Amino acid sequence: MTTDQRGTYPSHSLKHTRRAAAASLGGTILEYYDFAIYGLASALVFGPLFFPSADPTLGVLASFVTFGVGFLARPLGGIVFGHFGDRLGRKNVLVTTMLIMGVSTVLIGCLPGYDSIGYWGAVLLVLLRLAQGFAFGGEQPGAVLLVAEHAAEGRRGLFASLPGAGVSFGLVLGNLAFLAVNNTMDPVAVQTWGWRIPFWAGGLLVLIGLLIRFGLAETPDFERNKANDQVSASPIRDVIRTHPAQILLAGGVQAGQAVASYITVIYSLAYAREHDVPASLPLLGIILSGALHLALVPAAGALSDRFGRLPTYLAGAVFIAITALFFFPMIGSGSAVLVISAYLLLFGIGWAVITGVYPVMIAEAFATKVSYSGLSLGMQLGVVIGGLTPFVATLVATLPNGSTLLGIGLSVVVLLSGWCAAAIVRRTTRAGVAAAMDRSVAVRADDAGL
């Protein structure tokens, strides 16, 4: 282990950075694998299984409510894990969040339905979804900080984007799991027990992720603060007192990408089914666009190192705002070319760009001693808003010109997130963050002077 001149803590070595990137990537893969399979099950299975009703739409609405309930637990998870992440370090917290996520996912796959235990099945589903949300609240910000605090100046955007690449990897795996089940089993078998297989398979991802995380070193930034006796006694209180605007703006940035993702990879499946589009077609579109997303996310992170965070983010936000206006008409057309193109444009390109930039952009807005807490609060504020998207979208779609309203609404939300991005970068001055973190950050002078 190497040291720098300021203390006996590890330096930003490429070896440690790569290990941190692998650990962060693995956690994000599990997180969004869980997200994908739960969202798909909510759209395709959970309605009739846990909420039988004469009106199928009511069953879908009820299952989407359980999807959204998990997001209500995220702020609590963000507060708890943010506190311990800033007090005790990033590594141990991230081991704990992975365990909770994995166990909850496997247990969901074991739940009996309404026919066996009535609405108790739905109650258990909600409790496990709350446990998932609690763990997710600490996982995402911790994964970003783990790799960002290991990465060297000039490459922080690239490495901090890698957890975002895990988003598409997890979504692709989740969709492949459901696609395989749908294509190899008859519909009755899928509804009765086949849907459980993707949840059980999540246990394998947990084992792999834990093996990687147990061998990690703590981040140099946290070790530096610990050596200099700069660990906050109450990081939540301190970050609210010192960074209140950054928390709200980070929530706005997060809400934009969350709404875009939940519209694209969750609600669009229900929308396609209501318009008699074969289920395999949007699933294929998500898989193909996920592969493109996987390639473009690190490219966007690297571009932000070269050209600045804000210009790169705004390019993606404007692209989404334009393509959102055509997304639902393309899905509703039923044309294979148009359906797949819709996913490639909105998810594969536009969402990839903002996913590759926003984590490091908001991480740089907080001082190291409160960064886990600040990032957790900001991210989960935005995620809670995004988590209600499938439910709200289902209601809006029932209105006259519902698909048009959905497209316009998505455009407005993403453009507002661009405004939040501009405001948070404006507050992230080079001098202020460098003093707080004891090192410089990759924010260009023209970004800071907006």
Side-chain angles (χ1 to χ4, degrees), residues 70-377:
F71 294 91
L72 298 179
R74 288 197 177 198
L76 178 60
I79 292 171
V80 172
F81 291 118
H83 171 83
F84 287 109
D86 283 328
R87 290 282 296 152
L88 306 177
R90 297 23 173 150
K91 173 186 171 180
N92 292 333
V93 167
L94 289 173
V95 169
T96 303
T97 57
M98 177 163 281
L99 275 172
I100 297 174
M101 285 192 301
V103 171
S104 300
T105 299
V106 173
L107 289 179
I108 287 174
C110 300
L111 288 178
Y114 179 87
D115 291 342
S116 299
I117 59 173
Y119 283 114
W120 281 109
V123 171
L124 293 173
L125 180 66
V126 169
L127 291 176
L128 289 172
R129 183 61 179 160
L130 287 171
Q132 281 187 325
F134 181 74
F136 289 166
E139 172 65 30
Q140 187 179 22
V144 171
L145 286 177
L146 184 71
V147 66
E149 292 181 356
H150 272 290
E153 169 67 18
R155 304 188 73 183
R156 198 164 298 122
L158 170 61
F159 279 104
S161 71
L162 294 181
V167 172
S168 54
F169 203 163
L171 290 175
V172 168
L173 285 179
N175 280 276
L176 280 174
F178 257 89
L179 188 64
V181 167
N182 281 330
N183 287 347
T184 58
M185 305 177 73
D186 64 79
V188 174
V190 171
Q191 291 288 327
T192 54
W193 66 273
W195 65 271
R196 303 176 186 274
I197 296 174
F199 287 89
W200 294 336
L204 297 177
L205 295 176
V206 176
L207 294 177
I208 296 172
L210 288 175
L211 288 175
I212 297 173
R213 290 190 175 184
F214 278 129
L216 281 177
E218 189 52 80
T219 71
D221 290 22
F222 179 81
E223 291 294 335
R224 181 180 303 121
N225 274 19
K226 185 178 178 181
N228 295 332
D229 197 25
Q230 293 180 347
V231 176
S232 172
S234 181
I236 294 293
R237 181 195 63 194
D238 289 346
V239 75
I240 293 175
R241 178 174 56 85
T242 59
H243 299 72
Q246 287 90 331
I247 293 172
L248 294 175
L249 292 171
V253 173
Q254 179 75 31
Q257 74 86 31
V259 170
S261 65
Y262 302 153
I263 282 283
T264 307
V265 300
I266 299 299
Y267 172 72
S268 67
L269 295 171
Y271 181 87
R273 184 178 62 180
E274 290 171 1
H275 288 75
D276 298 322
V277 178
S280 60
L281 200 52
L283 289 176
L284 179 60
I286 292 173
I287 291 170
L288 293 177
S289 59
L292 180 58
H293 181 278
L294 184 63
L296 290 185
V297 164
L303 286 173
S304 77
D305 284 327
R306 182 175 179 83
F307 299 108
R309 313 299 187 213
L310 185 58
T312 310
Y313 184 89
L314 289 180
V318 171
F319 188 89
I320 292 176
I322 295 172
T323 56
L325 301 175
F326 308 98
F327 180 74
F328 287 107
M330 293 172 74
I331 297 293
S333 70
S335 165
V337 173
L338 290 178
V339 170
I340 293 175
S341 296
Y343 286 104
L344 289 173
L345 290 171
L346 188 58
F347 177 59
I349 298 176
W351 197 58
V353 174
I354 65 173
T355 301
V357 182
Y358 89 91
V360 69
M361 180 171 63
I362 60 179
E364 289 174 338
F366 298 95
T368 300
K369 65 186 293 185
V370 294
S371 56
Y372 207 134
S373 297
L375 212 57
S376 296
L377 290 175

Side-chain angles (χ1 to χ4, degrees), residues 389-403:
T389 299
F391 179 79
V392 174
T394 302
L395 293 178
V396 172
T398 62
L399 300 175
N401 300 315
S403 61

